[in-house]
Amino acid sequence: MSKLPGISGRDCMNALLKAGFYFKRQKGSHMVLRKDTPFTQVVVPEHNELDKGTLRAIIRQSGLSVDDFLKLL
């Protein structure tokens, strides 16, 4: 398992955009990204640095592996 870097919510969003997600909406600091096929919706907090557990949960919900996600950064 790869070690996760400390990244911001904005960097996480940019990596998910490269993976085919699109920006749906934002309320406060929570950005909602969506992918239609297969339907997946992920909420990314817009923080300066995401906690490791939060980042790992976002990656798991997106359907990507950690290594694939790191390549998108």
Side-chain angles (χ1 to χ4, degrees):
M1 190 177 302
S2 298
K3 188 170 173 80
L4 291 174
I7 64 169
S8 69
R10 192 59 73 167
D11 292 337
C12 179
M13 181 189 76
N14 289 333
L16 291 173
L17 290 175
K18 291 177 188 176
F21 284 81
Y22 61 91
F23 181 82
K24 181 69 176 168
R25 66 179 183 274
Q26 180 170 355
K27 183 168 185 177
S29 66
H30 290 82
M31 302 175 287
V32 178
L33 303 171
R34 185 176 282 180
K35 188 176 192 178
D36 291 330
T37 333
F39 179 78
T40 310
Q41 186 166 292
V42 181
V43 178
V44 179
E46 190 177 11
H47 296 164
N48 290 332
E49 185 170 344
L50 296 175
D51 291 334
K52 304 292 185 201
T54 303
L55 180 57
R56 192 168 297 280
I58 290 169
I59 294 170
R60 188 180 317 113
Q61 291 170 8
S62 70
L64 297 170
S65 69
V66 174
D67 292 328
D68 290 339
F69 181 80
L70 293 177
K71 289 177 188 172
L72 294 171
L73 293 175

